Amino acid sequence: VHYFLPIFGNAPGGWEAGMRNAAKIRDEKHESPRVHFGGVKIWIDGTMATFTAWVKEPFLTNPSDRGLHFIDTADLNRVVQMAEELSLRLKIHANGDAAVEAALDAFEAVAAGQPLKNRHCLEHVAMIAVGDLDRMARLGLVASVQPVAKAATPMGSAPQKLGRARLNKAFNYRGMSDSGITLAFGTDWPVFPFQSVLLNLWASTRECGCARCGICCYAERNNAPPLLSCEALEAFT
């Protein structure tokens, strides 16, 4: 098990103190043979389920509502810079396309000086602009995503708040995979059940004539192109 230490800008000492404390915990090796320090987790925005993800275009039900974001550009750039300086891996919660763009901007700003030394990760990536797919791939960032969220989001009021066209472009795992982004599938437990094999089977429900396996991963029940079940299995493992 790899654990990631959450840090928050409103904690004593702010972001910098949180990053230095994380490096201290890593160096003190609060670990066991089965539990290892993985890095630091921060949150840029909210969630798709609560419609607090930070999006570029406002929700259709409120023209002034683009979700929430919890860290400004300067602080985000500094967190990424410190992660590189302290050799800490970052796991950044980014659901909306505006949040993903902000994360990529920060990594690009730091990588302009020298290539990134650590392999960082964006968590959820529910919405990403097509133009940001190649950027994310070039930066070597991992997309840690959850197919069950892809299946659940179109339910409820999401079509009314996001619009069907935008919803159909969400959870673009095929676009990520084709762009060369490494996919890491998970469950987001305890938000969703901890049964990754069952979730993978649930996601692998539409035939596509694949020469490799004949089945594809199509978790969201919408019009986005599917992944193959073998690709989904690789992402889960």
Side-chain angles (χ1 to χ4, degrees):
V1 175
H2 291 81
Y3 69 91
F4 284 74
L5 184 71
I7 66 168
F8 304 93
N10 58 359
W15 296 107
E16 292 203 13
M19 294 294 287
R20 296 192 188 285
N21 183 55
K24 180 174 180 288
I25 290 173
R26 177 203 57 202
D27 295 342
E28 291 174 350
K29 297 196 178 299
H30 294 273
E31 300 185 348
S32 74
R34 295 186 177 182
V35 179
H36 301 276
F37 179 86
V40 168
K41 180 172 182 180
I42 67 169
W43 283 256
I44 290 183
D45 68 345
T47 70
M48 294 292 285
T50 59
F51 303 105
T52 52
W54 185 21
V55 292
K56 292 183 177 183
E57 298 295 329
F59 294 106
L60 299 182
T61 50
N62 184 348
S64 64
D65 184 9
R66 294 179 52 227
L68 302 175
H69 63 281
F70 308 123
I71 181 171
D72 64 28
T73 299
D75 285 335
L76 184 56
N77 287 359
R78 182 58 181 147
V79 166
V80 173
Q81 182 67 54
M82 290 191 71
E84 287 291 286
E85 293 172 354
L86 298 171
S87 296
L88 290 169
R89 291 174 60 201
L90 281 176
K91 183 183 283 282
I92 297 183
H93 171 115
N95 265 299
D97 49 2
V100 171
E101 180 180 70
L104 297 181
D105 287 347
F107 281 114
E108 275 194 339
V110 173
Q114 60 180 4
L116 298 174
K117 296 181 295 183
N118 302 301
R119 196 175 195 191
H120 304 290
C121 170
L122 297 191
E123 190 75 21
H124 306 308
V125 199
M127 300 173 67
I128 181 171
V130 172
D132 282 339
L133 291 168
D134 287 341
R135 283 212 297 161
M136 187 168 174
R138 285 196 303 271
L139 289 164
L141 303 177
V142 175
S144 174
V145 296
Q146 300 78 29
V148 66
K150 194 176 185 183
T153 297
M155 304 175 186
S157 59
Q160 290 74 38
K161 288 181 176 290
L162 286 169
R164 178 57 62 182
R166 185 162 40 164
L167 185 58
N168 284 350
K169 295 177 183 178
F171 305 101
N172 187 8
Y173 302 159
R174 165 55 63 201
M176 295 179 202
S177 179
D178 288 350
S179 297
I181 297 169
T182 298
L183 291 172
F185 279 4
T187 65
D188 208 24
W189 183 87
V191 176
F192 293 108
F194 183 70
Q195 288 126 346
S196 61
V197 174
L198 292 178
L199 292 176
N200 188 36
L201 292 174
W202 181 23
S204 302
T205 57
R206 177 187 265 189
E207 293 185 1
C208 65
C210 167
R212 296 162 68 189
C213 61
I215 309 264
C216 70
C217 173
Y218 193 76
E220 77 285 11
R221 307 295 195 273
N222 66 26
N223 296 323
L227 289 179
L228 308 175
S229 63
C230 42
E231 293 174 311
L233 181 59
E234 181 178 358
F236 264 114
T237 55

